[in-house]
Amino acid sequence: MKKFLTLAALTLAVSLPAAPAKAADTFTIDKGHTEVGFQIRHLVTKVRGRFNDFSGTIVFDKAKPENSSVEFKINAASIDTGIADRDNHLRAPDFFDVEKFPEITFKSTSVKSIGGDKYMVTGPFTMHGVTKTLALTVEFSGEAPDPWGNVRAGFATSTTLPRKDYGIVWNKALDNGGVILGEDVSVDINIEAVKKKDEAKK
C-alpha cells in the first residue's frame, strides 16, 4: 500500500504542469525622476553639470541576474552646466562635438551579482566616437508602487571617466604652471524606472 501511494504521488507530480518561471521585468527610465550628473576639476574647485535628455531600458531578473540587460542613450547636446556660453563650448569640436557625435551610449553584454543588491554591469560605452568596455557597479534600491498604478524601481551607479581616453583633450595651460581642467570626470547616475504595465500586474 505504501509503495502504491508513493507511486501515485510521483505520477501526480509528473503529470502536473510545472509552474512557469517568472520572466525578467522590463523597466523604462523616467526622465523626470532620473539624474545623469558629472563633475570635473576647474582650477581649485569642481564644476558640476548634467545631461537633460536621455532614454533607456532595463531588463531586470533578480533571481537570474545573467538574464538582465541595460541600454542607455544620452543626447550629448543636452549638456547643462547652468552657463549658456560654457555649454555651447562643450557642444563644440573642442569637447563633445555634438554635430558629429550626437549620442553617448551604453549597452550591457553581461550582468552578474556581486553581493546584496549590487551588480556588475559590463558592456561597450561609446562617447565622442570612441568605444571602450566599461564595468559599472550598479546598486538596486528597491521597488515601490506609485499613486498612478505603476511599479517603480531605483538603480544607481558612479564611475570615473578619463576624458582623454575618449579623445576629449582640450585644456589651457596657466602662466604659473598647471592647466585649467582636470583629466578625470566623475559621473553619477541615479535612475527611477517604471515597470511595463503588463508586468506590473503579474
Side-chain angles (χ1 to χ4, degrees):
M1 184 65 177
K2 185 177 181 181
K3 288 183 178 180
F4 173 78
L5 292 174
T6 301
L7 180 60
L10 288 172
T11 302
L12 180 62
V14 170
S15 64
L16 288 174
K22 185 179 183 298
D25 295 320
T26 300
F27 296 84
T28 301
I29 290 173
D30 177 3
K31 285 201 302 185
H33 298 92
T34 295
E35 182 179 50
V36 181
F38 63 88
Q39 64 177 13
I40 185 170
R41 180 181 59 78
H42 179 271
L43 293 174
V44 293
T45 189
K46 290 183 178 180
V47 172
R48 295 179 181 272
R50 63 183 184 179
F51 291 93
N52 293 324
D53 187 18
F54 45 82
S55 61
T57 301
I58 299 170
V59 177
F60 185 48
D61 188 336
K62 193 168 185 179
K64 294 184 177 180
E66 63 274 14
N67 293 336
S68 303
S69 63
V70 179
E71 288 192 47
F72 199 71
K73 292 182 180 181
I74 298 171
N75 176 3
S78 72
I79 195 166
D80 180 3
T81 65
I83 298 177
D85 287 345
R86 180 167 62 199
D87 293 342
N88 287 334
H89 190 198
L90 290 169
R91 296 182 186 109
D94 280 343
F95 288 94
F96 286 97
D97 198 0
V98 300
E99 291 293 327
K100 189 174 181 181
F101 308 110
E103 288 187 335
I104 300 167
T105 64
F106 176 80
K107 184 175 182 179
S108 68
T109 52
S110 72
V111 178
K112 64 179 181 179
S113 173
I114 54 175
D117 287 319
K118 292 185 177 181
Y119 302 85
M120 184 62 66
V121 182
T122 304
F125 171 75
T126 301
M127 181 171 68
H128 196 243
V130 178
T131 300
K132 292 185 175 294
T133 298
L134 200 60
L136 300 170
T137 300
V138 177
E139 184 170 5
F140 171 60
S141 53
E143 293 185 4
D146 69 16
W148 305 281
N150 301 302
V151 173
R152 293 174 178 262
F155 304 88
T157 188
S158 298
T159 192
T160 299
L161 299 175
R163 62 189 180 91
K164 287 187 176 181
D165 286 1
Y166 296 89
I168 302 176
V169 300
W170 185 93
N171 221 326
K172 188 172 182 179
L174 302 172
D175 292 340
N176 59 347
V179 291
I180 288 180
L181 292 179
E183 302 274 329
D184 295 331
V185 181
S186 300
V187 179
D188 294 291
I189 301 176
N190 292 285
I191 292 172
E192 187 171 297
V194 181
K195 188 184 294 187
K196 278 189 174 180
K197 279 285 189 178
D198 56 339
E199 294 178 349
K201 292 176 182 178
K202 289 179 180 179

